[in-house]
């Protein structure tokens, strides 16, 4: 049925097909059809004009004007073919056949159709055929009605190729189209913070309601028993453990070949407490990796070395190998991640040393142009030297992110994790099991091309079968970050 | 066939015009139902010539399907006030949206509301949501410049319905900016006092 209708429709718009004379000629109606055909032809709509002329010629065998118009349209057959190819491209694009659609649009584009060039460019961009996409979009850019959308997609191509300055300028140019303005402004700012070398600095101040992870029961893990007392290092009750804090962080990322290729990155950060200096933390990490990214899919491999100091003493040296991959299908992105970290703790914490492995799967759904939600599930296996420090953990984590304006965005994350320790803890007189609920609310305002004000509220609630290991904490912070792509 | 197509055909059968025009309206409706939009448009144009008053709305809906929003807006007779029914207003809103007349589209979709069936109401709600994200931020001056340029271009082409629609949009968009960028110029174009 669909095939028959398609053939019927194609014949009706084929100016070269023979015209069957109607059973009952009607010259008056033929005149009306011819007028409709003339109007459509003048307006440049060949398919509709052909339909009208064929009707007129069928109803009035003596209608020389309609037949002449059909002959002229037939002589311009290449354009008619192009129109068919364009229609076919639209059909295939709607059906999700991007490859087929790109080929149909390419055929239509050969007759100079810049709408076809635009759509071919969009299809090829989504297929990851960047060079072909760029050529098609540059051709479409010549048509005033397609200028902004072409520049927007050219910007995306430039961003993907690591040409961030060019991307920013293309996004700015496309913002004339109000339908693109919000997205273009966001992407422009993102492009200005991207490049072969990206450096960043962040300073935050805030408070931590429970620095030593003290339980509400009044004791800390280490004080009240158990080597794995929630990682606690001493202190008093939960309500006595609040302290002000500040964080400073520096980061750098170097990708000489752009987003797809090798990279080096480094980060250094310190957290200082105003009174409880024994809990200060300093972290340094250097990493080298390779990201292979194409449209809609990619993989990444990385080695990282980390050094942490707790208080003013050495705490942890770690080597980590990480691999991840992702695939995007429509509005969904599916990804997976695995890492293994060889942890070497300082002498005082030696029983924690061992190998920690984590695997994670994640599905992210972009439900609005600038809003997405994600759900992930992770498994962690920590094989520490001491059995009571070893554990298995698993649990889900949900994320919701939205860009509300080009300068304001927010994110909300919440996770639940169930941890089961491997061995009976004779000090606690039980085999410990914890449930952790944690969440983060993050608000970001861009106050310049490089500056962002960030406010965050982090919270955690740990319930353990060892009462001394149960605790809760809230960490509100506000800070300013500077990020620049060079 | 999509629900809006079925509703259009049903509406046509109920409201077909006088002798002569009827058969073209119905032929157009059948072609529309089978997604043969070029044929549907020709039939509706002929019915229009024969004086069927409602054929403009049907031609407008067909032009929306043919992705010719500017002509659709002209066929509908503009975007002001409520249309003949919720379905017509939905198609008018789609034409306005495709022509980047977002505020006009939003206004029309607000009128669709409870007057339509659940399918059209759902489609209208989706489109309103997309428009909401477009209108989430005030327009940049360049966007208002674009609307005014369209207004001037359509005025030069002697297409007053489109010219007024773009100036009207420019004026309403200008009101969304604290500085009311080029508001008076847009308002003058919207009421047709510009040369």
């Amino acid at each position: 049925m669909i095939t028959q209708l398609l053939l019927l429709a194609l014949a009706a718009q084929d100016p070269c097909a023979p015209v069957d004379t109607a059973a009952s000629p009607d010259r008056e109606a033929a005149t009306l059809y011819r007028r409709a055909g003339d109007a459509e032809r003048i307006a440049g709509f060949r398919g509709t004009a052909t339909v009208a002329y064929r009707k007129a010629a069928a109803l009035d065998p003596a209608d020389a004007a309609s037949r002449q118009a059909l002959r002229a349209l037939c002589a311009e057959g290449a354009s008619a073919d192009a129109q068919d190819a364009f229609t076919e491209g639209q059909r295939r694009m709607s059906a999700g056949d991007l490859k087929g659609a790109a080929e149909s649009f390419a055929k239509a584009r050969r007759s100079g159709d810049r709408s076809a060039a635009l759509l071919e460019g969009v299809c090829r961009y989504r297929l990851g055929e960047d060079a072909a996409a760029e050529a098609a979009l540059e051709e479409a850019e010549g048509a005033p009605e397609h200028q902004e959308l072409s520049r927007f997609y050219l910007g995306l191509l430039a961003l993907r190729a690591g040409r961030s300055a060019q991307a920013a300028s293309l996004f700015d140019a496309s913002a004339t189209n109000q339908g693109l303005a919000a997205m273009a402004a966001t992407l422009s700012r993102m492009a200005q913070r991207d490049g072969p070398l990206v450096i960043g600095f962040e300073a935050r101040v805030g408070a931590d309601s429970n620095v030593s992870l003290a339980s509400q029961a009044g004791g800390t893990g280490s004080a009240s028993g158990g080597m794995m007392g929630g990682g606690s290092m001493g202190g008093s009750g939960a309500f006595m453990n609040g302290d002000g804090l500040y964080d400073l962080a520096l980061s750098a990322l170097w990708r000489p070949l752009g987003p797809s290729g090798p990279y080096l990155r480094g980060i250094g950060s310190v957290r200082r407490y105003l009174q409880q200096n024994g809990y200060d933390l300093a972290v340094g990490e250097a990493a080298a990796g390779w990201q292979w990214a194409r449209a809609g899919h990619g993989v990444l491999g990385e080695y990282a070395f980390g050094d942490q100091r707790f208080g003013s003493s050495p705490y942890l040296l770690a080597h980590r190998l990480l691999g991840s991959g992702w695939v995007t299908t429509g509005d969904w992105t599916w990804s997976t991640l695995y890492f293994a970290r060889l942890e070497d703790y300082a002498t005082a914490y030696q029983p924690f040393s061992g190998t920690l492995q984590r695997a994670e799967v994640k599905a992210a759904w972009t439900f609005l142009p600038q809003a997405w939600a994600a759900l992930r599930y992770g498994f962690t296996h920590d094989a520490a030297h001491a059995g009571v420090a070893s554990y298995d953990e698993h649990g889900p984590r949900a994320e919701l992110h939205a860009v509300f304006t080009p300068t304001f965005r927010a994110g909300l994350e919440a996770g639940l994790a169930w941890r089961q320790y491997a061995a009976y803890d004779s000090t606690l007189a039980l085999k410990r099991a914890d449930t952790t609920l944690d969440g983060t609310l993050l608000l970001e305002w861009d106050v310049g091309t490089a500056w962002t004000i960030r406010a965050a509220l982090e919270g955690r609630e740990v319930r353990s079968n060892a009462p001394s290991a149960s605790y809760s904490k809230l960490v509100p912070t506000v800070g300013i970050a500077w990020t620049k792509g060079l | 066939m999509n629900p809006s197509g079925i509703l259009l055909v049903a509406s046509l059968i109920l409201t077909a015009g006088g002798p002569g025009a009827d058969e073209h309206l119905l032929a157009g409706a059948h072609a529309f139902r089978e997604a043969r939009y070029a044929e549907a448009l020709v039939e509706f144009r002929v019915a229009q010539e024969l004086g069927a008053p409602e054929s403009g709305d049907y031609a407008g809906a067909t032009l929306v399907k043919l992705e010719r929003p500017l002509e659709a807006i002209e066929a509908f007779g503009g975007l002001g006030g409520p249309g003949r029914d919720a379905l017509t207003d939905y198609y008018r809103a789609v034409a306005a949206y495709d022509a980047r007349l977002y505020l006009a589209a939003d206004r029309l979709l607000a009128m669709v509301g409870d007057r339509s069936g659940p399918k059209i109401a759902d489609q209208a709600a989706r489109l309103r949501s997309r428009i909401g994200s477009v209108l989430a931020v005030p327009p940049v001056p360049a966007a208002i410049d674009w609307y005014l340029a369209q207004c001037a271009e359509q005025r030069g082409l002697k297409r007053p319905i489109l010219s007024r629609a773009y100036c009207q949009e420019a004026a309403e968009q200008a009101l969304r900016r604290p500085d009311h960028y080029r508001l008076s110029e847009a308002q003058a174009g919207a009421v047709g006092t510009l040369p």
Side-chain angles (χ1 to χ4, degrees):
Chain A
M1 179 66 179
I2 291 169
T3 311
Q4 286 170 334
L5 287 173
L6 193 60
L7 290 173
L8 195 65
L10 288 175
Q13 293 187 51
D14 180 2
C16 305
V19 178
D20 296 326
T21 305
S24 47
D26 182 344
R27 292 187 67 181
E28 198 177 325
T31 305
L32 294 172
Y33 280 114
R34 191 176 63 246
R35 277 192 213 154
D38 289 343
E40 290 294 300
R41 192 178 175 198
I42 289 166
F45 298 103
R46 301 166 44 82
T48 332
T50 300
V51 168
Y53 286 135
R54 286 178 62 83
K55 279 272 190 183
L59 286 168
D60 181 5
D63 182 356
S66 292
R67 289 173 188 278
Q68 191 178 348
L70 283 171
R71 278 195 296 276
L73 289 167
C74 179
E76 300 163 14
S79 298
D81 287 348
Q83 182 61 41
D84 290 345
F86 185 82
T87 307
E88 177 64 7
Q90 284 179 302
R91 191 190 65 73
R92 289 185 176 194
M93 195 174 178
S94 300
D97 174 14
L98 292 177
K99 188 85 184 165
E103 283 163 12
S104 294
F105 288 132
K107 191 175 169 190
R109 179 184 156 208
R110 281 196 282 276
S111 70
D113 185 340
R114 286 176 172 170
S115 298
L118 173 68
L119 293 177
E120 185 195 345
V122 171
C123 289
R124 297 211 186 274
Y125 164 76
R126 290 171 63 185
L127 287 164
E129 299 170 4
D130 289 9
E134 194 158 356
L137 290 166
E138 279 173 353
E139 190 175 317
E141 194 185 5
E145 68 272 26
H146 299 318
Q147 206 165 56
E148 296 126 340
L149 202 53
S150 302
R151 287 176 180 169
F152 182 81
Y153 273 94
L154 284 167
L156 290 173
L157 284 168
L159 195 60
R160 192 146 77 189
R163 292 177 271 120
S164 48
Q166 187 191 4
S169 125
L170 285 161
F171 289 134
D172 289 343
S174 71
T176 315
N177 181 336
Q178 210 193 348
L180 300 172
M183 224 179 316
T186 305
L187 287 166
S188 172
R189 189 165 286 107
M190 190 192 293
Q192 289 175 59
R193 296 176 181 190
D194 201 5
L197 178 63
V198 181
I199 51 176
F201 168 77
E202 183 169 5
R204 295 194 294 178
V205 294
D208 184 334
S209 70
N210 186 2
V211 177
S212 65
L213 311 182
S215 73
Q216 292 182 4
T220 64
S222 57
S224 56
M227 190 171 72
M228 285 301 299
S232 302
M233 305 297 167
S236 55
F239 301 108
M240 306 288 286
N241 281 299
D243 199 355
L245 62 87
Y246 66 89
D247 291 333
L248 297 171
L250 272 170
S251 64
L253 170 66
W254 182 52
R255 296 173 297 182
L257 303 180
S260 193
Y263 66 86
L264 293 173
R265 65 174 184 83
I267 185 165
S269 68
V270 291
R271 165 162 289 189
R272 294 272 188 266
Y273 290 97
L274 301 184
Q275 295 175 333
Q276 302 185 57
N277 309 103
Y279 293 92
D280 291 349
L281 189 67
V283 176
E285 184 175 271
W290 195 296
Q291 176 168 276
W292 182 86
R294 291 290 178 269
H297 58 279
V299 291
L300 177 151
E302 180 187 280
Y303 163 76
F305 172 74
D307 183 359
Q308 294 184 24
R309 297 180 74 82
F310 191 72
S312 56
S313 308
Y315 178 55
L316 169 66
L317 296 176
H319 302 268
R320 189 188 66 194
L321 281 174
L322 178 147
S324 80
W326 64 94
V327 174
T328 298
T329 52
D331 296 334
W332 289 86
T333 296
W334 310 88
S335 60
T336 183
L337 173 147
Y338 168 81
F339 70 78
R341 191 168 66 193
L342 200 61
E343 298 177 328
D344 180 16
Y345 281 88
T347 310
Y349 316 104
Q350 221 5 266
F352 293 93
S353 295
T355 305
L356 183 143
Q357 298 177 76
R358 180 170 173 81
E360 195 175 284
V361 289
K362 179 176 174 180
W365 175 42
T366 305
F367 57 93
L368 285 173
Q370 300 209 80
W372 64 98
L375 183 65
R376 64 186 187 212
Y377 205 98
F379 302 85
T380 304
H381 174 66
D382 188 350
H385 289 169
V388 290
S390 299
Y391 63 84
D392 287 311
E393 183 179 277
H394 66 98
R397 189 168 189 83
E399 302 171 22
L400 183 63
H401 300 272
V403 178
F404 290 99
T405 74
T407 56
F408 175 67
R409 52 196 171 270
L412 184 64
E413 293 188 17
L416 190 60
W418 294 278
R419 179 182 292 190
Q420 177 67 58
Y421 284 86
Y424 180 82
D425 189 325
S426 55
T427 314
L428 292 170
L430 49 76
K431 190 172 175 183
R432 192 175 146 192
D434 296 351
T435 300
T436 302
L437 173 67
D438 71 293
T440 303
L441 171 66
L442 178 66
L443 306 174
E444 293 188 329
W445 292 270
D446 290 327
V447 289
T449 53
W451 292 95
T452 300
I453 292 175
R454 288 187 181 140
L457 177 63
E458 297 168 56
R460 176 179 291 178
E461 172 81 26
V462 176
R463 298 285 174 88
S464 176
N465 59 349
S468 59
S470 298
Y471 69 92
S472 58
K473 72 183 312 182
L474 279 175
V475 183
T477 55
V478 62
I480 189 157
W482 177 88
T483 310
K484 182 74 180 166
L486 301 170
Chain B
M1 183 181 178
N2 63 41
S4 58
I6 294 168
L7 287 171
L8 183 83
V9 173
S11 164
L12 263 172
I13 290 166
L14 290 171
T15 63
D22 288 3
E23 62 179 284
H24 294 291
L25 282 175
L26 288 171
H30 287 303
F32 189 97
R33 187 182 60 203
E34 289 165 1
R36 291 182 283 117
Y37 299 118
E39 290 173 72
L41 179 63
V42 169
E43 295 296 345
F44 290 139
R45 290 293 199 208
V46 170
Q48 215 166 0
E49 283 270 312
L50 290 169
E54 65 276 44
S55 56
D57 287 345
Y58 301 133
T62 312
L63 285 161
V64 168
K65 292 288 189 184
L66 287 166
E67 297 180 20
R68 292 160 61 177
L70 298 186
E71 291 165 283
I73 292 168
E74 288 178 309
F76 285 125
L79 301 171
R84 197 161 48 86
D85 51 36
L87 183 62
T88 305
D89 279 341
Y90 172 71
Y91 276 114
R92 292 166 80 206
V94 175
Y97 178 83
D98 288 346
R100 298 194 202 170
L101 297 163
Y102 301 117
L103 291 167
D106 194 51
R107 202 165 37 244
L108 286 163
L109 289 169
M111 287 194 284
V112 170
D114 298 334
R115 292 192 297 150
S116 68
K119 298 269 186 185
I120 294 296
D122 182 52
Q123 289 180 7
R126 284 167 195 252
L127 189 54
R128 280 200 93 181
S129 161
R130 279 156 65 186
I131 292 169
S133 61
V134 170
L135 297 177
V137 290
V140 295
I144 293 171
D145 292 342
W146 184 85
Y147 285 114
L148 287 171
Q150 296 303 308
C151 172
E153 184 183 335
Q154 298 302 335
R155 191 167 55 244
L157 294 169
K158 310 286 185 211
R159 298 174 86 175
I161 288 175
L162 295 175
S163 174
R164 273 198 299 276
Y166 277 111
C167 266
Q168 179 70 29
E169 183 82 8
E172 291 176 33
Q173 294 282 6
L175 283 169
R176 298 176 61 234
R177 287 181 56 84
D179 61 359
H180 292 180
Y181 179 74
R182 297 183 74 181
L183 174 62
S184 54
E185 195 182 333
Q187 285 173 329
V191 296
T193 57
L194 286 177

